[in-house]
Structures are given as structure tokens and as C-alpha cells.
Amino acid sequence: MALASGPFWFNYNLRYIDSTSEVDEFWAPRKTNGVFTAPPTFLGERINLVLSTPPAFYHNLSIGWDIAELGLNSQFGISNVTDQKPPRVSLAAPDYLQLGGSVIESQYDLYGRTYFINLSKSF
């Protein structure tokens, strides 16, 4: 959504990433004759695996100012305003690219909240 008034403009962007699940992919090879093998354990205790991610929302804001007489355009913005972290999954999750327990697929924001300034000149 963008709003403009004279040389000033404001932009808001919402990026949505749907939930995911690797549950079926993880358990499929652990099925024999239609029966699942025992769940994974560590030191006799059942391991609660996290094999899915919730939906993620990323909010971005920016404001700009066009200085037409100088041919300049300036912009200041904040990406990931709410500092949304990437989801965490268990290290046993088969198809997630991970850094520790955090999913690092390309759709997630790894850096948290960031600020930016753009300045451009037309000739």
C-alpha cells in the first residue's frame, strides 16, 4: 500500500509465508507394513520433534521524499518492523535448511529488524 502527498510518499508492505510441515516426510520411512516404528527417544525419554512451522508475517515501512528540482529521490525504511524471528524446528527435520534450530530457507528473514536509506539521482 502506498500513499503520496506532493513530494512525500509512504509505503507499507506485508509479506506472508504460509505454514509448512515435514511430518509425513519424516515418518514415511519409519513405517513398516502400515505400522509406525517407535518414536525417537534420548536416554529413554521420548523426543518431541518440531517438524512444522507456523505462518510468518513480515511488516515493512518506508517513507520517501522526491526533490524534483535537484533530481533526487530519498527513502528511509524499516524492514521486519516487528523483528519476527525465523521459525525453529528440530535438527531431525529432513527437508529444512537450518542454522542450528532456525529455518534458513530463502523466504524467512534471518537478520531481524533492519533499517535502510536509499538516495538516488536522476540525470
Side-chain angles (χ1 to χ4, degrees):
M1 169 180 74
L3 301 171
S5 178
F8 299 98
W9 51 270
F10 169 81
N11 187 55
Y12 167 77
N13 173 268
L14 171 68
R15 187 164 44 109
Y16 169 75
I17 301 169
D18 203 0
S19 59
T20 63
S21 176
E22 293 292 330
V23 172
D24 292 339
E25 289 78 5
F26 180 81
W27 285 108
R30 290 156 181 82
K31 198 173 191 182
T32 305
N33 297 326
V35 178
F36 288 110
T37 59
T41 60
F42 179 73
L43 298 176
E45 297 292 323
R46 181 174 179 187
I47 299 170
N48 294 320
L49 298 171
V50 178
L51 300 170
S52 60
T53 62
F57 297 88
Y58 292 104
H59 304 271
N60 307 305
L61 297 171
S62 63
I63 57 173
W65 181 30
D66 294 321
I67 308 169
E69 58 274 4
L70 298 176
L72 290 175
N73 174 279
S74 60
Q75 178 184 20
F76 169 76
I78 305 171
S79 296
N80 193 0
V81 172
T82 60
D83 202 20
Q84 171 81 30
K85 305 287 188 243
R88 297 186 61 83
V89 293
S90 296
L91 294 175
D95 292 327
Y96 289 114
L97 182 60
Q98 297 172 246
L99 177 61
S102 295
V103 176
I104 59 170
E105 302 292 343
S106 63
Q107 69 268 28
Y108 295 107
D109 185 339
L110 302 178
Y111 302 109
R113 181 183 305 119
T114 56
Y115 303 89
F116 62 90
I117 296 175
N118 293 330
L119 183 62
S120 61
K121 167 107 174 106
S122 299
F123 294 97

